[in-house]
Amino acid sequence: MLRGLRKIHSTGTGTGECFYLGCVSDGCRIANSIIANNYCHNTTKATGGSHGSGVQVKPGSYNNIIQDNVCYQLGSVCVLVYDDYNRGRNQIIGNFLLDGNDNGIQATAGHR
């Protein structure tokens, strides 16, 4: 469980996400977790693609709650959630993006 007021910032070049949870192509996954009350900011030095996002939940991850996170000056999406492959829906609740370079929330399937 990642819960409580955490401040993650200035993540540098490269991918630069505040939270990168799970693995590409369902290689590993995060499940039954809460990612809440975090303050993520200044990931704008990240390079390429969806890099510099606030919370990125990779494919196959399921039954997670992403709630009440604040994102400011990000290089990408505040909350990015991929398909849960019908294992259990991820919930995205009350997150906030200010002054970002992309969408506030981007999700493919398996979320509420």
Side-chain angles (χ1 to χ4, degrees), residues 11-87:
T11 53
T13 60
T15 59
E17 289 87 357
C18 288
F19 293 97
Y20 185 102
L21 307 168
C23 297
V24 175
S25 302
D26 194 22
C28 67
R29 62 201 64 84
I30 185 170
N32 306 309
S33 297
I34 300 171
I35 300 93
N37 303 315
N38 298 289
Y39 175 45
C40 176
H41 65 93
N42 297 94
T43 65
T44 54
K45 291 184 181 179
T47 54
S50 61
H51 300 313
S53 55
V55 178
Q56 191 171 140
V57 179
K58 301 306 278 183
S61 297
Y62 61 96
N63 286 341
N64 298 296
I65 299 171
I66 301 104
Q67 183 173 5
D68 298 331
N69 297 287
V70 175
C71 301
Y72 175 68
Q73 291 186 340
L74 298 188
S76 187
V77 181
C78 179
V79 177
L80 177 57
V81 179
Y82 294 89
D83 197 341
D84 70 338
Y85 300 134
N86 295 317
R87 292 185 177 119

